[in-house]
Amino acid sequence: MTTATADSSNADIKSVLAAEFARFLPPDSIIADEETQKPYECDGLSMYCEMPLLVVLPETVAQVQQVLRLCHQRGVPVVARGAGTGLCAGAMPHSDGVLLSLAKFNRILDIDPLARTARLQPGVRNLAISEAAWPHGLYYGPDPSSQIACSIGGNVAENSGGVHCLKYGLTVHNLLQVEMITVEGERLVIGSAGLDSGGPDLLALITGSEGLLGVITEVTVKLLPMPEKAQVVMAAFDSVQTAGEAVSAVISRGIIPAGLEMMDEHAIVAAEAFVHAGYPTDAEALLLCEVDGTREEVEEHIQQVAGLFESMGASIRVSRDDAERALLWKGRKSAFPAVGRISPDYYCMDGTIPRGKLAHVLMAMQDMSAHYGLRVANVFHAGDGNLHPLILFDANMPGEFERAEAFGGKILELCVAVGGCITGEHGVGVEKIRQMAIQFGDAEIAQFHAIKAAFDPVGTLNPGKGIPVLKNCQEYRALKPDGMQPLSHVHGSTL
Amino acid sequence: MTDATQALIEQITSARAEQRQLRIVGGNSKAFIGRATTEGEPLEVGRHSGIVSYQPVELVLTARAGTPLAEIEAALAEQGQMLAFEPPHFGGGATIGGTLACNQSGPARPWSGSVRDMVLGLRLINGRGEHLRFGGQVIKNVAGYDVSRLQAGALGTLGVITEVSLKVMPTPAVTLTLVQEMPADQAIAQMNRYSGLPKPLNGAFWHDGKLYLRLAGAESAVNGTAQQWGGERLNDADTLWQQLNNHQLDFFNADRPLWRFSVNSTAPHWQSEQNWLLDWGGSQRWLSGEGDPAVLAEQANAAGGQVSLFRGGDRQGEVSPALAPPLQKLHQRLKDAMDPDGIFNKGRLYGWM
Ligand SMILES: Cc1cc2nc3c(=O)[nH]c(=O)nc-3n(C[C@H](O)[C@H](O)[C@H](O)COP(=O)(O)OP(=O)(O)OC[C@H]3O[C@@H](n4cnc5c(N)ncnc54)[C@H](O)[C@@H]3O)c2cc1C
């Protein structure tokens, strides 16, 4: 794509920027050489990668402001990066821009046990919050499977969820306050220590905005009391349909499980081979249903849930202690890497559907699987309708990644057709930008652009992500015919 | 049960063309919220009413914005479900659209979430007269900006909400209210301590020397906790919580300004000689009486939050918390992004917008 003249002007701006950054950033906070930049070329979706002009790792909020001000003055794109575990290429660098890593902002600033809050720098790892809160009998609710690595700043930017969302909510439900630096380098404080601040809910608007509206430099989250007791029922079903009905039956009983996860036969087999959790490998579908609360409540509900599953023909196993509970969950939590062992590569999708449509969608997916000649394994946040089909492929086979991508696109179209959406928790980024037009019309997309412009009039924050450019816009000419931003290179690898 | 979308769009489009202002009205139960404005012809959303879909097993209900809360709550009750955020009705007629626009949630809010928390998606007519759809009818959805929740607290200044999809929840099997006598500062400590325990606490307010704690959930859990915590069990407690929610307690009745403080739940009690009611486990504090807005704002700030003039007092001036200059600029730009000609609810939220 790039021409020789563009390359040389890039080199000019790169050295000018590096020199200006060097005036306020320590030398090791500026990465200009290709080899050291390499780990930043992609996020968890490594099929999409790009090298930035520069990587910077500021250490103070004032430095973040200066970086943004400078880039704003020069019209240079800025892409914020947390831990780089994102699965939609949201943190993929811009070839003419600066990658702003928040990795050095890794301090827990304050835990207030009485108020049940934690004030955090954006680079703090999700799990580290709960680890710091445990001694006070508290924890942080949203628990993405990537929680060992992902950052709270990234969680806010993606509105991340976890297996406990149905009962405890997504990131957006667990936030009190965010400090954000605008593209112009101005500091905003959104929210407060109180609940429901006056005026339009900007906190919600920022959450899930994928680094397109500002750079988050501080986050205050709510902490929850650790439940007295938690127990899990594993139920093996001989049909996906019945397992789906069982999910609805639990909800109809008025029980909101802390976690309610489903795996299909391919995921069960892969997970069992990987962690030996004792999953029945002959089952068509497996449900993990966790109940938490007071001792009395858990005993009452576990009995009801176990009885219900048995009456629907499932064979069940109830965890006797926390070790067994952890083991049963381990299979689910390592389902992605487990599937990674049965296939050279896999592509993780993230659609949401109304729960009642589950059997229909799984069946349709089997047909598509045959059509594209690619296997698919399914793990499913059954409680909240969030489907993660894992499409198995081999990047070394010519055309397989393209087929996997086309297959994935069809799944997302199906999700929208049955009343769901194209992404439940992984975000749009670069990856799902084409599918945005399935879920939204031109008027909605134009409205998104207007909102973006309110925060970032010139459009230099994470450009080319999240919101597709409309066909009737000028920029459309620079795009491929299908409306996707051109990528400099695409390669496959295990996620 | 009527669909008035077309009429609403027409009124908006012609108002825009003729540069007229519109004043959005739902059930008119919350006319007292925001600044007093007389500008604009009424845009009646109340006629756009009715439950569009309700699937109890999906825990999702979709209703037109003008649907009365009472109608929604009756439909839910038939299925043993409820709006977990317990919206106030304020004298009756409150609609779901107005509830969201004013971001109004009841006593369970700190534990069960707010109306904004339960919103899954909505439809809205922007200032260009375009009928748009954001979010969806599923519990998780992160495609595009969260324009749905952005409407919470906007008081209709960013567009006319026409339809709302909400997450609904099962009604707790049992509720029980305990009363303990204690002064305010002790109640604040107690409410926060209890909130940090894994117990089925679902309401906590203090007034006039008494702390009221509501437990809700499985029978065994509620009774077990009540035994541990002690205190007198209150009969007919539902009425009390409803009166609290709808501002029907004597405390609210006085013909005096009512200030809402949204603060850190642990902030020490201040101005104890004044007339206070502390709700939401200490994070929402009501002050009844005259006060200097600047002094009160200072106090709210020290308590980690904000104050607004909720009811009565001088409603020509600003009643919402003041914004720092960069935030004010951003709010104005957002307003321009959604309602470029400024036709909706001029001056209702802020005098300058
Ligand atoms: C194995 C695996 C399992 C996963 N499981 C889950 C799961 O269960 N649930 C779930 O929701 N997600 C899951 N994810 C996805 C991912 O972990 C989350 O999206 C996570 O929140 C990303 O955090 P991060 O710090 O890695 O962000 P990054 O990947 O670095 O960035 C993500 C996006 O946020 C922006 N961003 C990052 N930091 C900031 C900031 N400070 N200010 C502004 N913008 C910023 C970036 O520009 C980018 O657009 C999983 C990923 C993997 C690899």
Side-chain angles (χ1 to χ4, degrees), chain A residues 217-237:
Chain A
T217 48
E218 195 183 297
V219 182
T220 305
V221 300
K222 295 183 214 168
L223 301 173
L224 298 167
M226 296 268 293
E228 266 176 26
K229 182 171 172 154
Q231 226 176 340
V232 62
V233 185
M234 176 183 85
F237 291 85

Side-chain angles (χ1 to χ4, degrees), chain A residues 60 174 190 195 293 346 359 383 442 475 478:
Chain A
T60 65
N174 291 277
I190 296 167
L195 302 167
Y346 68 88
D442 284 2
E475 299 95 304

Side-chain angles (χ1 to χ4, degrees), chain A residues 112-117 136-138 158-162 165-167 169-170 172-175 177 180 182 184 186-205 207-210 212-213 222 224-228 248-249 251-256 293-294 296-297 300-301 350 352-357 381 383-386 388 419-428 436 439-440 443-457 466-467, chain B residues 55-60 79-81 103-105 109-111 114-119 124 126-128 130-147 149-155 157-158 167-171 173 188-189 191-200 216-225 228 260 262-266 280-281 283-284 303-306 320-321 323-331 333-339 349-350 353:
Chain A
D112 184 337
L114 191 59
R116 293 148 279 121
T117 58
H136 307 287
L138 302 169
E158 298 288 9
N159 191 17
S160 297
C165 285
L166 182 64
K167 188 164 176 185
L170 303 153
V172 71
H173 301 110
N174 291 277
L175 294 178
Q177 184 175 301
M180 189 180 92
T182 66
E184 288 139 347
E186 276 177 317
R187 180 176 165 273
L188 304 178
V189 176
I190 296 167
S192 77
L195 302 167
D196 302 340
S197 306
D201 198 332
L202 290 184
L203 195 56
L205 187 68
T207 311
S209 65
E210 302 191 9
L212 271 76
L213 303 184
K222 295 183 214 168
L224 298 167
M226 296 268 293
E228 266 176 26
S248 300
I251 308 272
S252 304
R253 287 285 171 98
I255 297 173
I256 299 295
T294 64
E296 306 92 339
E297 188 177 15
E300 189 178 322
H301 284 168
D350 172 46
T352 343
I353 56 170
R355 278 183 299 259
K357 297 290 192 320
H381 301 299
D384 40 37
N386 191 186
H388 288 317
C421 73
I422 60 169
T423 171
E425 56 184 18
H426 294 169
V428 174
M436 281 293 280
Q439 193 173 326
F440 298 103
E444 280 91 6
I445 289 174
Q447 184 66 76
F448 287 145
H449 280 298
I451 291 172
K452 161 79 168 165
F455 285 80
D456 177 16
I467 315 293
Chain B
Q55 294 134 342
V57 296
E58 301 286 346
L59 301 175
V60 177
Q79 303 293 330
Q81 296 185 339
N103 199 16
Q104 288 297 303
S105 309
R109 193 268 174 255
W111 301 274
S114 64
V115 56
R116 159 278 198 193
D117 286 338
M118 295 296 152
V119 168
L124 148 151
N126 66 12
R128 292 177 208 86
E130 297 164 331
H131 199 202
L132 309 174
R133 188 190 289 277
F134 298 101
Q137 301 189 15
V138 281
I139 287 167
K140 285 161 88 175
N141 183 350
V142 296
Y145 304 121
D146 195 343
V147 180
R149 293 195 175 96
L150 175 66
Q151 305 309 317
L155 296 189
T157 53
L158 301 181
K167 180 177 171 189
V168 299
M169 293 298 265
T171 311
I188 291 170
M191 289 191 282
N192 278 286
R193 223 171 19 245
Y194 281 163
S195 297
L197 299 175
K199 298 294 180 187
E219 188 173 355
S220 51
V222 168
N223 286 330
T225 307
Q228 280 179 27
R260 174 185 183 264
S262 172
V263 294
N264 186 327
S265 59
T266 62
W280 289 6
S283 66
Q284 176 170 258
Q306 307 177 330
S320 296
L323 300 173
L327 256 186
Q328 177 165 341
K329 183 173 76 185
L330 186 61
H331 272 72
R333 284 192 194 164
L334 258 181
K335 168 77 173 169
D336 297 341
M338 299 208 61
D339 177 19
L349 179 57
Y350 303 112
M353 195 176 95

Side-chain angles (χ1 to χ4, degrees), chain A residues 327-447:
Chain A
L327 181 67
L328 290 176
W329 274 116
K330 195 174 168 198
R332 165 61 188 90
K333 289 215 170 181
S334 28
F336 290 8
V339 166
R341 295 211 324 172
I342 60 168
S343 170
D345 304 275
Y346 68 88
Y347 186 33
C348 173
M349 305 310 294
D350 172 46
T352 343
I353 56 170
R355 278 183 299 259
K357 297 290 192 320
L358 177 65
H360 167 75
V361 168
L362 288 183
M363 229 102 83
M365 238 188 269
Q366 286 312 322
D367 293 345
M368 291 181 198
S369 168
H371 173 81
Y372 287 99
L374 296 172
R375 290 176 298 164
V376 60
N378 266 292
V379 294
F380 184 48
H381 301 299
D384 40 37
N386 191 186
L387 204 59
H388 288 317
L390 303 169
I391 301 171
L392 313 187
F393 71 100
D394 182 350
N396 290 325
M397 300 289 284
E400 277 215 358
F401 173 65
E402 288 72 16
R403 281 220 307 285
E405 229 189 356
F407 184 179
K410 283 284 174 230
I411 294 176
L412 298 185
E413 282 177 34
L414 177 64
C415 290
V416 175
V418 299
C421 73
I422 60 169
T423 171
E425 56 184 18
H426 294 169
V428 174
V430 178
E431 184 211 16
K432 286 177 275 290
I433 204 153
R434 276 177 294 189
Q435 279 83 27
M436 281 293 280
I438 305 170
Q439 193 173 326
F440 298 103
D442 284 2
E444 280 91 6
I445 289 174
Q447 184 66 76

Side-chain angles (χ1 to χ4, degrees), chain B:
Chain B
M1 183 77 189
T2 44
D3 181 346
T5 311
Q6 224 34 55
L8 291 172
I9 293 177
E10 274 160 28
Q11 194 180 347
I12 291 166
T13 324
S14 68
R16 186 187 184 208
E18 294 156 25
Q19 307 216 338
R20 278 183 283 118
Q21 304 289 321
L22 293 173
R23 195 157 46 84
I24 309 168
V25 184
N28 217 23
S29 69
K30 288 180 277 291
F32 64 89
I33 291 184
R35 294 176 68 254
T37 56
T38 46
E39 275 181 86
E41 68 185 44
L43 181 79
E44 307 275 358
V45 186
R47 63 200 155 138
H48 185 60
S49 162
I51 295 171
V52 177
S53 73
Y54 171 36
Q55 294 134 342
V57 296
E58 301 286 346
L59 301 175
V60 177
L61 177 138
T62 299
R64 297 200 181 100
T67 315
L69 293 175
E71 185 180 331
I72 294 175
E73 286 167 343
L76 292 170
E78 275 179 32
Q79 303 293 330
Q81 296 185 339
M82 67 181 298
L83 297 173
F85 53 92
E86 299 187 312
H89 291 218
F90 290 129
T95 63
I96 188 61
T99 299
L100 177 59
C102 298
N103 199 16
Q104 288 297 303
S105 309
R109 193 268 174 255
W111 301 274
S112 303
S114 64
V115 56
R116 159 278 198 193
D117 286 338
M118 295 296 152
V119 168
L120 303 175
L122 53 66
R123 301 187 74 186
L124 148 151
I125 309 172
N126 66 12
R128 292 177 208 86
E130 297 164 331
H131 199 202
L132 309 174
R133 188 190 289 277
F134 298 101
Q137 301 189 15
V138 281
I139 287 167
K140 285 161 88 175
N141 183 350
V142 296
Y145 304 121
D146 195 343
V147 180
S148 309
R149 293 195 175 96
L150 175 66
Q151 305 309 317
L155 296 189
T157 53
L158 301 181
V160 181
I161 302 166
T162 57
E163 193 178 291
V164 183
S165 292
L166 293 163
K167 180 177 171 189
V168 299
M169 293 298 265
T171 311
V174 179
T175 61
L176 185 156
T177 299
L178 301 170
V179 194
Q180 302 172 347
E181 292 205 12
M182 64 182 73
D185 45 1
Q186 206 179 319
I188 291 170
Q190 186 84 306
M191 289 191 282
N192 278 286
R193 223 171 19 245
Y194 281 163
S195 297
L197 299 175
K199 298 294 180 187
L201 185 62
N202 187 249
F205 84 97
W206 174 93
H207 181 56
D208 210 8
K210 287 195 179 113
L211 172 65
Y212 300 83
L213 301 167
R214 183 176 61 180
L215 302 169
E219 188 173 355
S220 51
V222 168
N223 286 330
T225 307
Q227 242 153 36
Q228 280 179 27
W229 286 2
E232 182 196 337
R233 295 186 186 202
L234 194 73
N235 291 323
D236 196 22
D238 286 355
T239 311
L240 174 73
W241 292 100
Q242 268 164 26
Q243 287 173 333
L244 166 71
N245 196 9
N246 293 315
H247 290 190
Q248 290 160 333
L249 297 175
D250 287 344
F251 168 84
F252 296 102
N253 277 347
D255 214 7
R256 294 185 297 187
L258 179 67
W259 306 86
R260 174 185 183 264
F261 287 82
S262 172
V263 294
N264 186 327
S265 59
T266 62
H269 191 49
W270 74 94
Q271 279 201 8
S272 46
E273 69 288 357
Q274 295 270 39
N275 197 10
W276 288 93
L277 187 149
L278 316 180
D279 196 6
W280 289 6
S283 66
Q284 176 170 258
R285 304 187 186 184
W286 300 100
L287 172 66
S288 171
E290 299 294 338
D292 176 348
V295 173
L296 297 181
E298 204 43 53
Q299 293 168 346
N301 193 30
Q306 307 177 330
V307 60
S308 53
L309 180 54
F310 193 76
R311 198 196 279 262
D314 173 15
R315 307 206 76 81
Q316 307 296 322
E318 296 297 344
V319 298
S320 296
L323 300 173
L327 256 186
Q328 177 165 341
K329 183 173 76 185
L330 186 61
H331 272 72
Q332 184 61 57
R333 284 192 194 164
L334 258 181
K335 168 77 173 169
D336 297 341
M338 299 208 61
D339 177 19
D341 301 296
I343 57 175
F344 297 133
N345 282 0
K346 182 160 192 253
R348 181 83 188 264
L349 179 57
Y350 303 112
W352 45 268
M353 195 176 95

